[in-house]
């Protein structure tokens, strides 16, 4: 019996976003033995209707005749994926909601935001035959109420659990110029103001003094890098290292002591889960999927856009190695139990089977 053909839609550059990371993990997983996966990738976003891209995708879809097209995300990229699938006459189109432009506080041109919020995103959801989300928070949002009859469940992001202990920790710390008694905080994020890095800059200046040197490692790149770097230059008692985009993020997580995630909005972050998988205690803003992950333990939640609360939550971790170790061990268990790669693949397989077994 032939395997069902499932098109995996994605957008962006490697390491730049969670949906693309999820696709790459699915393609390399045992699910490839049960489904014939076909890639439909958009390397870059665009500001309008890309007719050439649509033409290429429709041609691809008509050639492979997929049993299911899985589109990840809304906004402009999801719109193109769903529109191509409908134009090609694909019978089943699953859209996984990872985020929405309506959450953005620095969305740029207001006309483009309105076009996405009131045009592209609603069309993407209406044109999908099935809808899923990556967290319970997203599943309960008002703008998804009209999809209740087509909602097939939550497919959480999943990350591999690294072997412990990490043999590379001391080597990487030495390469970064960290002393053995330094306390290293780390941020892994796209560098936009939406990730709360301006809030973090103000929080660092509020930290009480301590005996150990504090270092902040900032991993990632993005459109607001210059402004964020300037904001972090005067971080008070904290030395800041801007590391840019890196291919060795697991090693950097192993070298760090605390993960900081002050984002202003979020669904379910791969960066958060990966840090917790490396047994890092977390201080994160109480938004979106952060709440449902950390309510199980592994860190502290603070109100978004509150530098004083962020500083107060960081201070005990900075001062107490035993607290970091104990909370970090809980963080690793939380991910292992609920957000491991096997959990994501199992949920994805169940949803695919559910959709494929339904008659059109």
């Amino acid at each position: 019996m032939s395997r069902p053909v499932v098109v995996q839609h994605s957008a962006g550059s490697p390491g730049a976003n969670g949906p693309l990371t999820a696709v790459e993990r699915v393609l390399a997983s045992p699910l490839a033995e049960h489904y014939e996966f076909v890639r439909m990738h958009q390397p870059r976003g665009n500001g309008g209707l890309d007719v050439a891209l649509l033409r290429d995708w429709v041609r691809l879809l008509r050639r492979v005749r997929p049993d299911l097209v899985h589109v990840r995300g809304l906004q402009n990229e999801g719109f193109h994926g769903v529109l191509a699938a409908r134009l090609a006459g694909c019978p089943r189109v699953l859209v996984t909601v990872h985020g929405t432009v309506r959450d953005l506080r620095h969305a740029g041109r207001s006309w483009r935001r309105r076009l996405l919020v009131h045009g592209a995103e609603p069309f993407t959801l209406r044109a999908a035959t099935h809808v899923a989300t990556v967290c319970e928070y997203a599943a309960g949002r008002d703008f998804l109420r009209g999809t209740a009859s087509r909602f097939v469940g939550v497919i959480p992001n999943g990350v591999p659990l690294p072997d412990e202990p990490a043999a590379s920790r001391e080597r990487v710390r030495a390469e970064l110029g960290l002393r053995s008694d330094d306390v290293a905080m780390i941020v892994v994020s796209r560098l936009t103001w939406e990730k709360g890095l301006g809030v973090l800059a103000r929080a660092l200046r509020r930290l009480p003094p301590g005996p150990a040197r504090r270092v902040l490692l900032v991993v990632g790149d993005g459109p607001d890098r210059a402004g964020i770097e300037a904001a972090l230059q005067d971080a008070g008692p904290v030395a800041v290292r801007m590391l840019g985009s890196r291919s060795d993020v697991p090693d950097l997580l192993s070298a760090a002591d605390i993960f900081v995630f002050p984002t202003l909005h979020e669904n379910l972050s791969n960066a958060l889960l990966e840090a917790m998988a490396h047994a890092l205690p977390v201080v994160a803003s109480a938004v979106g999927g952060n709440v449902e992950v950390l309510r199980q333990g592994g860190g502290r939640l603070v109100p978004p856009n509150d530098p004083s609360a962020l500083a107060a939550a960081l201070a005990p971790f900075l001062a107490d190695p035993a607290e970091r170790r104990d909370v970090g061990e809980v963080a690793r268990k939380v991910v292992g139990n609920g957000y491991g790669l096997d959990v994501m693949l199992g949920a994805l397989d169940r949803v695919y089977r559910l959709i494929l077994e339904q008659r059109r």
Side-chain angles (χ1 to χ4, degrees), residues 132-153:
T133 61
V134 294
C135 60
E136 296 291 347
Y137 159 76
R141 299 197 61 179
D142 289 346
F143 75 95
L144 291 180
R145 284 182 180 173
T147 69
S149 64
R150 294 173 286 131
F151 185 72
V152 289

Side-chain angles (χ1 to χ4, degrees), residues 54-265:
L54 280 173
R55 187 184 302 116
D56 290 343
W57 279 357
V58 169
R59 187 180 299 117
L60 168 69
L61 293 170
R62 286 176 175 166
R63 185 178 78 249
V64 303
R65 298 173 61 86
D67 298 284
L68 172 63
V69 179
H70 185 178
V71 175
R72 287 176 168 84
L74 300 177
Q75 301 191 31
N76 184 274
E77 292 78 13
F79 168 78
H80 278 78
V82 167
L83 180 57
R86 303 310 280 173
L87 290 173
C90 299
R92 304 172 188 89
V93 182
L94 167 65
V95 169
T96 303
V97 177
H98 291 258
T100 168
V101 75
R102 71 194 65 227
D103 289 335
L104 300 182
R105 304 188 184 190
H106 305 86
R109 298 170 180 163
S110 60
W111 65 266
R112 186 173 189 273
R113 178 193 178 99
R114 289 195 297 272
L115 186 61
L116 290 170
V117 169
H118 301 294
E121 291 193 352
F123 170 83
T124 301
L125 292 169
R126 285 196 305 270
T129 61
H130 301 82
V131 175
T133 61
V134 294
C135 60
E136 296 291 347
Y137 159 76
R141 299 197 61 179
D142 289 346
F143 75 95
L144 291 180
R145 284 182 180 173
T147 69
S149 64
R150 294 173 286 131
F151 185 72
V152 289
V154 173
I155 307 171
N157 292 334
V159 299
L161 211 63
D163 295 332
E164 56 176 351
S168 61
R169 174 177 167 86
E170 296 307 321
R171 173 184 59 80
V172 177
R173 285 178 69 92
E175 291 173 356
L176 294 170
L178 298 175
R179 300 190 292 258
S180 60
D181 60 342
D182 287 347
V183 182
M185 298 172 280
I186 188 168
V187 173
V188 181
S189 171
R190 188 164 184 260
L191 298 190
T192 71
W193 295 116
E194 303 288 339
K195 295 300 183 180
L197 298 176
V199 181
L200 177 58
R202 298 195 297 276
L204 297 179
R205 293 192 284 272
R206 290 169 165 81
L207 289 174
R213 185 174 71 146
R214 293 89 172 268
V215 180
L216 174 68
L217 308 175
V218 181
V219 183
D221 208 341
D224 299 326
R225 173 172 178 160
I228 289 168
E229 187 168 2
L232 289 169
Q233 279 181 348
D234 182 19
V238 178
V240 177
R241 308 277 176 80
M242 303 293 296
L243 302 182
S245 295
R246 299 281 293 244
S247 60
D248 59 345
V249 172
D251 286 343
L252 297 174
L253 291 171
S254 296
D257 301 294
I258 305 165
F259 185 76
V260 192
F261 195 48
T263 182
L264 302 180
H265 54 83

Side-chain angles (χ1 to χ4, degrees), residues 20-75:
L20 178 54
T21 299
V23 169
E24 291 170 343
R25 287 172 175 160
V26 169
L27 294 175
S29 78
L31 288 185
E33 299 174 7
H34 304 285
Y35 303 96
E36 183 179 343
F37 291 132
V38 176
R39 292 294 300 272
M40 191 170 78
H41 182 69
Q42 181 175 342
R44 292 171 296 278
N46 55 70
L49 187 66
D50 190 330
V51 176
L53 178 70
L54 280 173
R55 187 184 302 116
D56 290 343
W57 279 357
V58 169
R59 187 180 299 117
L60 168 69
L61 293 170
R62 286 176 175 166
R63 185 178 78 249
V64 303
R65 298 173 61 86
D67 298 284
L68 172 63
V69 179
H70 185 178
V71 175
R72 287 176 168 84
L74 300 177
Q75 301 191 31

Side-chain angles (χ1 to χ4, degrees), residues 244-314:
S245 295
R246 299 281 293 244
S247 60
D248 59 345
V249 172
D251 286 343
L252 297 174
L253 291 171
S254 296
D257 301 294
I258 305 165
F259 185 76
V260 192
F261 195 48
T263 182
L264 302 180
H265 54 83
E266 197 67 36
N267 279 291
L268 186 60
S269 166
N270 273 302
L272 170 67
L273 300 178
E274 287 167 359
M276 294 174 68
H278 281 79
L280 289 182
V282 172
V283 177
S285 49
V287 297
N290 294 358
V291 177
E292 60 197 70
V293 174
L294 289 172
R295 70 187 174 197
Q296 305 171 62
R300 295 188 174 93
L301 290 164
V302 299
N305 204 19
D306 189 335
S308 296
L310 182 57
L314 284 169

